């Protein structure tokens, strides 16, 4: 049997406010994925999304779907 986890990974709001847009830091995102992998999670799929924040700024985010055996 499989167990699934859906997570929204996004950068903090401060980068968007100061720079006008915030992109995901590859090192932080790798750390996030590796931490979940240590817990037995495997990425099944992910979708990139650029979300509006307070109508003026943009923030990059990833919807990550993971699975692991129970």
């Amino acid at each position: 049997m499989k167990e699934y986890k859906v997570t929204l990974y996004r950068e903090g709001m401060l980068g968007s406010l100061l720079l006008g847009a915030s992109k995901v830091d590859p090192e932080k995102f790798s750390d996030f994925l590796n931490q979940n992998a240590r817990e037995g999670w495997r990425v099944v799929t992910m979708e990139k999304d650029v979300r509006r924040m307070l109508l003026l700024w943009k923030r990059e985010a990833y919807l990550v779907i993971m699975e692991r055996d129970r």
Side-chain angles (χ1 to χ4, degrees):
M1 177 159 250
K2 301 280 185 188
E3 179 180 12
Y4 292 91
K5 175 179 177 178
V6 178
T7 305
L8 182 63
Y9 179 85
R10 61 182 167 227
E11 286 297 313
M13 196 181 297
L14 189 58
S16 295
L17 291 174
L18 295 177
L19 303 173
S22 182
K23 296 196 181 254
V24 169
D25 180 346
E27 289 183 26
K28 288 182 184 178
F29 191 44
S30 293
D31 291 341
F32 165 77
L33 293 174
N34 287 325
Q35 176 60 39
N36 281 287
R38 283 190 286 277
E39 296 173 9
W41 294 103
R42 184 179 71 84
V43 174
V44 176
T45 187
M46 72 174 90
E47 178 78 24
K48 181 179 173 182
D49 187 23
V50 177
R51 296 176 165 239
R52 287 243 176 239
M53 183 183 71
L54 303 175
L55 299 174
L56 301 174
W57 296 277
K58 293 181 183 177
R59 181 163 55 166
E60 193 174 86
Y62 285 89
L63 180 68
V64 183
I65 300 174
M66 296 177 268
E67 73 176 5
R68 70 178 174 186
D69 293 322
R70 280 190 150 195

